[in-house]
Amino acid sequence: MTKARFTEEDAALLAELGVEAEAKKTPARTPKEERIIAGFEEIQRFVDEHGRTPLHGEDKDIFERIYAARLDQIRRQAECMDLLTDFDHQGLLSGASGEQEEAAVNLSDVELLYQLGVSAPVEGDVTELRHVKSRAEKRAAEEIANRTICEDFEKFKPLFEAVRNDLDTGVRETNQFRKDAGFLKADIKKGQYYILGGQTAYVAEVGEPFAAPNGEMDARMRVIYSNATESNLLLRSMQRALYKDETSRIISDPSAGPLFSENVEEDDAASGTIYVLRSKSDHPTVKEHREVLHKIGVTGGSVEKRIANAAHDATFLLAEVEIVATYELFNINRTKLENVIHKFFDSARLEIEIKDRFGNPVVPREWFLVPLFAIDEAVEKIKDGSITDYAYDPSSAKLTML
């Protein structure tokens, strides 16, 4: 709406009517107030562009999370509320969403901003805007932030879910970039995954190479992000963005080789043993499923010593156990392997609660309703590196190919 301008003719007319027309003076604002208003206007622009208030959450863009934190702080401070009321044409100051309220309660401002990877405000003072990125940082982010909605994201969504599962189970890992390692544009290839700006980035397409103005070869590529956006950028822009983002990481490919050595050499170091146990507990649930109920674990020592105190350990259901299978490991990360196995059989995990020796409730997490032959088959798939191509179907008690 265009505001009417008060003219000299209006003043003359009011004077004839006996009304004094005194120009309303706009009080000068302090630099502190100007910063508050500027920060609020950035939030308003976000709302105009997205049609909603900014939200917290790891799946959100870093700037959206900053705006959400800033809005929370504004709503908590009477000084800010009084100053911004006349500017609030979108009703942003009237309450927070449930998600915002929950995040605000569970995390302090300092904790939230620390998780965002940015500096925290002094004593929580939003007027200082300490958590707003510098112009240089914004330019670096904007280099790869000109993103659009990924219209065909549904076909990429399973890829991101699979990568997250691989990271959870240790099949993949993330590694930090080091400039002195000589990371080149040529190292960015189709099918690779990165973490950039708090989002998982997938290189979906790499175009034909061409000569850049500086004489070096470059290429245009399509990058899909885990928040359902995409960007069309140059290899050199991606390389530069990865270097400038101190939190950026490269996600490794799934382990290509076998987890076990097929032929044990003299200098191979034994890493431990996968053990499969069967419980002798009299618990009704255990008795009913005894033949298919197994505890699967990994130990770096003797299995016999590991189970010596089983009858007094809630992890072993406070009962004696018998060893039904063992698989020796060589040159392998035991913790990662155990995570792989437990994640693979997660759909068949036993849900049971027992009391420990002190009467406290305990929920053992390493017992699975899986027949021994299925465990044998899973170990073989781990050995040849094909476990990521399979899933366990508890309804048929078989491994099925994905």
Side-chain angles (χ1 to χ4, degrees):
M1 179 181 294
T2 303
K3 293 184 178 180
R5 187 181 298 277
F6 189 78
T7 65
E8 292 182 2
E9 289 80 2
D10 295 326
L13 177 59
L14 290 175
E16 291 180 7
L17 296 174
V19 179
E20 290 188 12
E22 182 179 351
K24 186 177 180 181
K25 296 181 180 179
T26 302
R29 302 193 188 281
T30 65
K32 176 180 178 180
E33 291 173 332
E34 292 291 352
R35 288 196 297 270
I36 296 174
I37 294 171
F40 187 63
E41 287 176 342
E42 287 189 351
I43 299 173
Q44 289 179 311
R45 284 193 289 273
F46 175 91
V47 174
D48 286 338
E49 182 178 346
H50 296 86
R52 60 173 175 80
T53 56
L55 300 174
H56 299 285
E58 293 183 359
D59 61 330
K60 305 301 180 186
D61 182 86
I62 183 67
F63 291 108
E64 178 174 355
R65 297 166 68 189
I66 290 175
Y67 296 151
R70 188 187 305 169
L71 183 57
D72 285 345
Q73 293 184 52
I74 287 173
R75 286 167 170 164
R76 296 191 194 110
Q77 301 189 45
E79 175 189 7
C80 297
M81 296 287 282
D82 293 340
L83 175 64
L84 299 173
T85 298
D86 292 339
F87 295 88
D88 187 24
H89 61 275
Q90 297 158 311
L92 301 180
L93 302 180
S94 57
S97 69
E99 183 176 355
Q100 289 170 320
E101 289 178 338
E102 181 180 354
V105 170
N106 292 336
L107 291 176
S108 69
D109 295 339
V110 173
E111 290 171 331
L112 176 59
L113 294 174
Y114 178 79
Q115 287 194 6
L116 292 176
V118 291
S119 58
V122 177
E123 296 183 357
D125 185 2
V126 70
T127 62
E128 295 299 322
L129 299 181
R130 298 294 180 92
H131 57 289
V132 178
K133 286 184 177 290
S134 67
R135 292 290 181 188
E137 289 175 310
K138 283 189 176 182
R139 281 197 298 271
E142 286 168 357
E143 193 166 56
I144 52 91
N146 294 323
R147 304 176 186 175
T148 58
I149 298 298
C150 179
E151 301 295 344
D152 56 346
F153 184 72
E154 285 304 313
K155 76 177 185 181
F156 296 104
K157 186 176 180 180
L159 300 180
F160 288 107
E161 292 174 347
V163 167
R164 178 177 290 275
N165 181 68
D166 287 349
L167 290 172
D168 289 342
T169 58
V171 176
R172 295 177 187 258
E173 58 184 20
T174 65
N175 299 299
Q176 192 170 11
F177 281 99
R178 290 173 45 244
K179 292 184 180 181
D180 57 2
F183 180 73
L184 306 175
K185 297 189 296 292
D187 295 325
I188 302 175
K189 297 182 174 62
K190 179 179 178 180
Q192 286 186 319
Y193 294 87
Y194 302 89
I195 296 177
L196 180 60
Q199 299 290 330
T200 302
Y202 171 64
V203 181
E205 298 174 14
V206 177
E208 292 296 323
F210 61 86
N214 63 359
E216 294 184 1
M217 298 305 293
D218 209 338
R220 180 69 62 178
M221 60 183 183
R222 183 190 184 195
V223 179
I224 312 297
Y225 301 90
S226 55
N227 63 349
T229 62
E230 67 173 275
S231 62
N232 183 272
L233 69 165
L234 296 171
L235 283 171
R236 62 178 177 178
S237 297
M238 181 77 168
Q239 178 195 34
R240 190 158 51 238
L242 289 167
Y243 276 151
K244 289 181 178 179
D245 180 2
E246 294 182 357
T247 64
S248 66
R249 302 184 73 84
I250 182 171
I251 299 176
S252 70
D253 291 330
S255 176
L259 289 174
F260 297 93
S261 299
E262 292 297 330
N263 299 304
V264 182
E265 302 295 338
E266 289 185 5
D267 57 349
D268 279 347
S271 298
T273 305
I274 297 176
Y275 59 84
V276 182
L277 309 177
R278 191 169 293 156
S279 177
K280 297 181 180 181
S281 170
D282 290 329
H283 189 287
T285 301
V286 177
K287 290 175 65 176
E288 180 183 357
H289 303 287
R290 196 182 306 280
E291 294 305 311
V292 293
L293 179 59
H294 296 104
K295 173 178 166 61
I296 310 173
V298 179
T299 181
S302 164
V303 179
E304 286 74 14
K305 288 183 179 180
R306 179 74 180 90
I307 67 174
N309 199 39
H312 304 287
D313 189 339
T315 303
F316 295 92
L317 305 180
L318 294 174
E320 297 293 342
V321 295
E322 62 175 315
I323 303 171
V324 295
T326 58
Y327 311 86
E328 193 171 4
L329 315 181
F330 292 91
N331 300 327
I332 195 169
N333 184 304
R334 295 192 299 271
T335 301
K336 287 186 177 181
L337 176 63
E338 190 170 62
N339 288 336
V340 168
I341 296 172
H342 290 176
K343 191 73 175 180
F344 186 79
F345 288 119
D346 187 64
S347 59
R349 194 186 298 269
L350 176 69
E351 297 295 337
I352 187 173
E353 180 179 286
I354 64 173
K355 302 289 185 181
D356 65 12
R357 290 181 297 158
F358 306 101
N360 299 315
V362 176
V363 180
R365 302 295 297 165
E366 296 184 357
W367 291 88
F368 302 87
L369 294 164
V370 179
L372 185 58
F373 70 80
I375 299 173
D376 285 334
E377 186 177 357
V379 170
E380 290 303 315
K381 299 300 180 187
I382 292 174
K383 284 183 179 181
D384 63 24
S386 65
I387 190 67
T388 55
D389 298 326
Y390 290 83
Y392 180 69
D393 179 14
S395 62
S396 63
K398 294 181 179 179
L399 275 63
T400 58
M401 183 171 285
L402 296 174

